[in-house]
Amino acid sequence: VRVIGQGFVQSASLKCKFEATVIDAIFVSNTVLNCTAPAFRAGAVALEVSNNAVDFSWSNVAFHFVPRVRIMLVTPQAGPRAGGSFVSVMGSNMLPGSTCRFGATPAPAATFISATEIRCATPSQAIGEHPIEVSSNMQDFTDQGLHYRCYEPLQVSHVSPLVSPVSGGTLVTVAGSGF
């Protein structure tokens, strides 16, 4: 957790307090600290800091613990390597602002639909399978092992015949690549 404030000093007694749970803080600058959030029940707690492990701030900054995001289904599961497609990711505990990443590449755009679905634009990727993961805070990503497969775009080079009776039933041959 990045804490932004003022008057922080580099000290072995630098602490963050999540409600009554006190943990060590890492000094970044006199205006920035980093703290690792402890395990906690879901809900909002006051986050306070101290330079001496005794006197804590009275800022009443609310920090929210939320259930971990889970994903269960990605649809479609494949698309062109150039990106620009959209996938629906179904799961649970998603929040507004949730986003996807494909391997290490973030989605160029994500839309929150509900607590059980987000839609993510696919980035340009190499051909092959890429893990798809979701985060509600851009730090903690899921690890359910779902994948999105990227392939070369389909190319149609020839169709024969080019006409058919309106009643249908004509066998059409399609030539090209990628299928």
Side-chain angles (χ1 to χ4, degrees):
V1 176
R2 179 169 286 248
V3 180
I4 299 174
Q6 58 186 4
F8 304 141
V9 296
Q10 192 162 9
S11 160
S13 298
L14 197 57
K15 304 291 181 188
C16 286
K17 181 169 70 169
F18 294 82
E19 201 165 85
T21 303
V22 177
I23 59 158
D24 291 334
I26 298 169
F27 180 84
V28 177
S29 73
N30 66 344
T31 59
V32 179
L33 299 177
N34 286 337
C35 302
T36 300
F40 223 86
R41 70 186 177 331
V45 299
L47 172 59
E48 304 297 346
V49 297
S50 173
N51 283 324
N52 64 9
V54 175
D55 302 308
F56 283 86
S57 61
W58 290 80
S59 303
N60 265 343
V61 172
F63 182 84
H64 298 270
F65 287 91
V66 296
R68 186 173 276 289
V69 174
R70 294 192 44 80
I71 59 173
M72 293 166 250
L73 176 68
V74 176
T75 184
Q77 295 178 344
R81 71 172 183 83
S85 300
F86 285 88
V87 296
S88 289
V89 182
M90 311 299 249
S92 60
N93 304 322
M94 296 181 204
L95 298 172
S98 293
T99 192
C100 299
R101 74 177 178 196
F102 297 78
T105 306
T111 303
F112 175 79
I113 305 298
S114 70
T116 60
E117 180 182 3
I118 62 171
R119 285 180 41 95
C120 294
T122 61
S124 176
Q125 294 275 83
I127 294 171
E129 287 198 351
H130 304 276
I132 182 167
E133 305 299 349
V134 172
S135 175
S136 290
N137 66 4
M138 294 302 295
Q139 289 187 1
D140 302 302
F141 282 84
T142 58
D143 59 358
Q144 268 81 55
L146 299 179
H147 288 84
Y148 181 78
R149 186 175 52 83
C150 296
Y151 54 77
E152 281 293 342
L154 304 176
Q155 296 286 332
V156 175
S157 60
H158 181 74
V159 176
S160 178
L162 292 174
V163 296
S164 172
V166 293
S167 59
T170 302
L171 180 61
V172 178
T173 302
V174 179
S177 62
F179 50 90

